Amino acid sequence: MKKLISQAYTLLNEHGFDWSICGGAAIDLYLGRQTRIHKDLDIAVFWEDRNLIIDLMLSSGWRVLQACGGGVVHELNKKQDEKFEKRNLFCFTVNEHRVKLEAIGQDKYRFGLEKVEQQYFTYVEFLFNERNDGNFFLLGETKIKRELKKSILSSSDGVPYLAPEIVLFYKSSYLDGSDADYHNQDFDSALTCFSLEQKQWLRWAIETEYPQGHVWLERLN
């Protein structure tokens, strides 16, 4: 994963948009060590930079697919100046053999990714977010926010990454699926290094999102 992150930095840095490593790899950057295997590399970016990202990936020889929901994707061959749906992007190179596409017409496919450890920098998912007035806004109707300066951190090597408490908030929604063990492991690993303020923010965010309770809240007292 360290090599993948270094290659991502080389591709994405200094192209006029802000980005940060997110997902489980962000937990590793926060802790300064790799804690588990990772099946893909996730990058957090902002909506206003979407066309810059599409242009960069296409000009670099990557295929760019927009998530449409239900396992369906739409391939993009140019930037979208017109109004677009707010969907994440999956990007991969021609030698990324883990990606499986089943054509269903008009540049649309059923999308699959073999869930094995990513070994090469041949696949990346861009997850889009909002920012305004110095705040990072998390997805969802509750409009949970965090100060930007606390939301995007930097590793000792200068690699930007999403704050682990935000990463864990997103992971808190996925504790019933096949990756639940990974999400719980990330929670256990990161929590041991959290400051009181990080714990308090994560507790507030989870309580706001899940007023009926959540399994992680007891650990955040």
Side-chain angles (χ1 to χ4, degrees), residues 7 48 65 70 117 130 154 161 180 183 200:
Q7 292 173 325
E48 63 265 28
L65 306 174
E117 183 176 12
E130 295 182 12
S154 183
Y161 65 92
H183 301 325
Q200 289 175 334

Side-chain angles (χ1 to χ4, degrees), residues 129 136-139 162 166-174:
N129 302 274
F136 182 106
F137 288 89
L138 284 70
L139 297 177
L162 198 61
I166 295 179
V167 173
L168 292 180
F169 172 79
Y170 282 134
K171 287 176 174 287
S172 69
S173 296
Y174 302 99

Side-chain angles (χ1 to χ4, degrees), residues 40-218:
D40 54 16
L41 183 63
D42 298 327
I43 305 291
V45 288
F46 295 100
W47 286 114
E48 63 265 28
D49 298 321
R50 190 172 186 271
N51 273 335
L52 286 174
I53 294 164
I54 292 172
D55 274 347
L56 172 63
M57 300 310 288
L58 289 175
S59 65
S60 300
W62 293 57
R63 295 179 71 176
V64 178
L65 306 174
Q66 172 182 273
C68 298
V72 174
V73 296
H74 175 223
E75 185 159 14
L76 303 179
N77 297 303
K78 61 181 181 179
K79 66 182 183 179
Q80 296 179 299
D81 291 318
E82 69 277 9
K83 185 176 181 180
F84 56 84
E85 289 188 82
K86 288 190 171 184
R87 301 284 190 172
N88 291 335
L89 299 177
F90 306 113
C91 303
F92 63 96
T93 63
V94 294
N95 55 340
E96 173 50 271
H97 303 299
R98 298 177 306 149
V99 170
K100 308 299 179 184
L101 297 177
E102 177 190 346
I104 57 176
Q106 295 186 335
D107 293 324
K108 287 191 174 182
Y109 303 86
R110 295 199 183 280
F111 175 85
L113 178 68
E114 187 180 0
K115 295 296 187 177
V116 297
E117 183 176 12
Q118 184 170 348
Q119 300 285 346
Y120 306 100
F121 184 53
T122 52
Y123 177 88
V124 63
E125 180 176 356
F126 290 99
L127 294 89
F128 288 85
N129 302 274
E130 295 182 12
R131 59 181 168 184
N132 192 26
D133 294 331
N135 289 307
F136 182 106
F137 288 89
L138 284 70
L139 297 177
E141 296 181 1
T142 51
K143 289 296 182 182
I144 293 169
K145 64 183 180 180
R146 185 95 163 118
E147 292 176 74
L148 266 173
K149 64 182 180 181
K150 293 181 179 179
S151 300
I152 299 178
L153 310 178
S154 183
S155 72
S156 59
D157 296 329
V159 177
Y161 65 92
L162 198 61
E165 61 271 24
I166 295 179
V167 173
L168 292 180
F169 172 79
Y170 282 134
K171 287 176 174 287
S172 69
S173 296
Y174 302 99
L175 298 187
D176 296 325
S178 59
D179 290 333
D181 287 344
Y182 286 134
H183 301 325
N184 281 307
Q185 182 179 340
D186 289 340
F187 178 79
D188 292 338
S189 298
L191 191 62
T192 60
C193 296
F194 272 14
S195 68
L196 177 60
E197 192 272 342
Q198 286 174 298
K199 289 182 181 179
Q200 289 175 334
W201 181 88
L202 182 56
R203 181 177 182 84
W204 165 78
I206 290 178
E207 286 178 336
T208 301
E209 187 72 9
Y210 308 101
Q212 303 304 316
H214 189 281
V215 66
W216 283 354
L217 287 174
E218 186 175 334

